[in-house]
Amino acid sequence: MYTYKYPRPALTVDALVYVKETNLVWVLLIQRGQEPFKEKWALPGGFVDMDELLETACKRELLEETGLKVDRMKQFKTFDAVDRDPRHRTISVVFSVELSEKEKVTGGDDAARAAWFSLNDLPEMAFDHQKILSEFFKLERT
């Protein structure tokens, strides 16, 4: 395999899956089973394989980490803060999908657990995922 003279950033995808109910919005999160941020909550996601498209990678990671299969996702935004991942330079493309109801989910792969959380009662989150949710839902949170 060819090696570049200069380092390259890693590319990841994150899945923002949500359900709107009357006056509540529910978001699907996974509890990380590994460092960094072990036991903190995050959007399902992970690294893109060399032979897959971004949306395909996001749907794969969502299925592996939560057991949830979706047909289509919509690209939301790319997050590229230099320090967003303590391991190395990582750029993430976030995809979203709105479901009509909360479906059964279970933690898998490197996710210890998967669960639905109300936007009004989110747990402590890993990486910059609170910021991603805030931007997506235009929340006024700090």
Side-chain angles (χ1 to χ4, degrees):
M1 179 180 257
Y2 181 80
T3 303
Y4 289 96
K5 182 178 178 181
Y6 301 102
R8 300 285 190 259
L11 183 61
T12 62
V13 288
D14 288 306
L16 200 163
V17 182
Y18 64 101
V19 172
K20 291 181 180 177
E21 289 182 351
T22 313
N23 295 326
L24 288 176
V25 176
W26 297 89
V27 179
L28 178 59
L29 301 177
I30 57 105
Q31 186 178 40
R32 292 184 51 80
Q34 300 175 7
E35 294 293 350
F37 302 107
K38 184 175 180 177
E39 299 181 2
K40 300 287 190 261
W41 292 86
L43 298 170
F47 293 96
V48 177
D49 290 338
M50 292 299 290
D51 62 347
E52 64 186 346
L53 299 173
L54 295 173
E55 183 182 358
T56 303
C58 197
K59 292 188 294 187
R60 174 184 55 77
E61 285 287 345
L62 179 62
L63 180 62
E64 289 175 0
E65 293 187 343
T66 70
L68 182 63
K69 183 176 182 179
V70 297
D71 293 325
R72 298 181 69 174
M73 301 187 86
K74 182 178 178 183
Q75 193 174 128
F76 166 54
K77 184 176 175 180
T78 301
F79 288 81
D80 64 348
V82 174
D83 61 350
R84 65 181 304 275
D85 188 327
R87 295 170 290 191
H88 46 67
R89 177 80 164 102
T90 304
I91 296 170
S92 187
V93 180
V94 178
F95 287 82
S96 69
V97 61
E98 180 178 359
L99 303 180
S100 57
E101 62 185 8
K102 292 182 285 184
E103 297 189 23
K104 184 179 181 205
V105 293
T106 183
D109 193 28
D110 58 349
R113 294 172 39 201
W116 293 94
F117 287 88
S118 164
L119 273 184
N120 298 328
D121 191 24
L122 293 172
E124 187 175 347
M125 300 198 57
F127 304 105
D128 57 354
H129 292 188
Q130 177 67 54
K131 178 181 179 180
I132 292 170
L133 289 171
S134 294
E135 286 193 26
F136 186 81
F137 293 106
K138 294 182 175 51
L139 298 175
E140 297 296 325
R141 296 180 186 263
T142 55

